[in-house]
């Protein structure tokens, strides 16, 4: 099972909707940048520069011979500032 992670405040660096239904994010939490993906979460897409709270599970993602750590989003909520 993936390691579960809760990020209370992450800045959105990039947000893309894939195939009209999935969500791909790049966020910054402190000094760390993290790539994140959510199945069926397009309707929750935040805008670049917004801050979000994210729950999800970390998983290793291998693509074209490169391995990275990706956060598989279970929920994402905008923080009102």
């Amino acid at each position: 099972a993936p390691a579960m992670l809760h990020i209370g405040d992450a800045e959105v660096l990039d947000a893309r909707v894939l195939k009209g239904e999935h969500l791909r994010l790049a966020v910054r939490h402190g000094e760390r940048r993290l790539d994140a993906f959510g199945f069926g979460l397009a309707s929750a897409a935040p805008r670049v520069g917004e801050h979000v709270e994210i729950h999800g599970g970390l998983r290793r993602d291998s693509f074209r011979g490169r391995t990275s750590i990706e956060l598989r989003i279970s929920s994402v909520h905008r923080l009102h500032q």
Side-chain angles (χ1 to χ4, degrees), residues 15-25 38-47 50 52 73-78:
R16 297 180 193 184
V17 170
L18 305 178
K19 298 181 182 173
E21 56 183 330
H22 308 308
L23 177 61
R24 180 170 288 288
L25 295 179
F39 285 104
L41 291 178
S43 62
R47 292 194 175 98
E50 288 187 322
V52 292
I73 304 166
S74 54
S75 70
V76 56
H77 301 284
R78 285 184 188 87

Side-chain angles (χ1 to χ4, degrees), residues 40-78:
L41 291 178
S43 62
R47 292 194 175 98
V48 170
E50 288 187 322
H51 286 248
V52 292
E53 176 182 10
I54 303 175
H55 291 268
L58 289 175
R59 64 186 297 277
R60 189 171 277 118
D61 185 44
S62 295
F63 182 68
R64 293 183 182 161
R66 290 179 52 206
T67 299
S68 60
I69 299 296
E70 180 178 76
L71 179 64
R72 189 57 57 84
I73 304 166
S74 54
S75 70
V76 56
H77 301 284
R78 285 184 188 87

Side-chain angles (χ1 to χ4, degrees), residues 25-43:
L25 295 179
V27 300
R28 178 169 35 229
H29 177 60
E31 295 299 309
R32 294 185 61 186
R33 178 192 159 104
L34 191 61
D35 292 315
F37 184 84
F39 285 104
L41 291 178
S43 62

